[in-house]
Amino acid sequence: MSDVDHPLPPHQSIDDEPDLNNEVTGAALVVSTGFLGATVDVVIDRPLGSEHPSHGFVYPVNYGYVPGVRAPDGHFLDAYVLGVERPLATARGICRGVVHRLYEADDKLVICLDDRDPRDDEIHAALAFQEARGPYVLLRCIAPEPDPHLDEP
């Protein structure tokens, strides 16, 4: 079968990898990846169930921004808040991933409010309402394996 018969979803392009030397997207990586694994405060400006002001779709997740942190596009750094089934005004959670868009300098953080660490496919499914329009790479923070020698006296 050819790629034309079964095109890869935008987030699974085998040829597209983050490129720090790309003027458009490289600067976004520098800002966004520093949050991986960190606790992040988010102001929700598009709560779950709200309608996008110009595109008309409804947000199936809480969506907002990290106050005081500018992305290369000049706006605040955006964030999806996953795992909450009610609209929020603010959120504090762990950054479990970064949606690195390959076509513009507008990365999005993936935030979870508890110890939940969703699988990649769960994140892709939750964000398909907005991220299906262009290629992206989901960047994750992989926790190191515990060192068994650290517990020895």
Side-chain angles (χ1 to χ4, degrees):
M1 284 183 211
S2 72
D3 287 340
V4 175
D5 295 330
H6 290 284
L8 292 169
H11 61 273
Q12 293 182 354
S13 173
I14 57 176
D15 295 324
D16 294 325
E17 295 183 14
D19 181 2
L20 284 171
N21 296 318
N22 181 310
E23 286 182 28
V24 174
T25 62
L29 274 175
V30 172
V31 174
S32 61
T33 56
F35 288 94
L36 284 168
T39 300
V40 180
D41 290 315
V42 179
V43 173
I44 307 297
D45 59 351
R46 295 181 187 160
L48 182 142
S50 65
E51 188 174 315
H52 190 282
S54 57
H55 297 294
F57 61 81
V58 174
Y59 282 87
V61 300
N62 288 288
Y63 180 81
Y65 61 90
V66 180
V69 179
R70 295 277 179 191
D73 68 358
H75 300 282
F76 288 118
L77 180 61
D78 297 318
Y80 296 106
V81 179
L82 304 185
V84 181
E85 300 304 318
R86 67 186 189 289
L88 301 174
T90 62
R92 173 177 278 179
I94 306 294
C95 180
R96 299 295 186 186
V98 171
V99 173
H100 175 63
R101 290 180 169 178
L102 299 173
Y103 59 96
E104 65 180 351
D106 194 18
D107 287 358
K108 317 289 185 190
L109 303 183
V110 177
I111 307 294
C112 292
L113 301 189
D114 52 23
D115 290 337
R116 186 173 178 273
D117 192 3
R119 297 184 321 263
D120 289 3
D121 63 318
E122 294 175 309
I123 294 173
H124 294 307
L127 307 182
F129 75 98
Q130 183 162 273
E131 295 304 333
R133 64 190 175 116
Y136 70 91
V137 175
L138 178 61
L139 305 171
R140 302 294 304 267
C141 182
I142 299 173
E145 292 292 321
D147 185 344
H149 302 291
L150 293 178
D151 294 329
E152 294 179 1

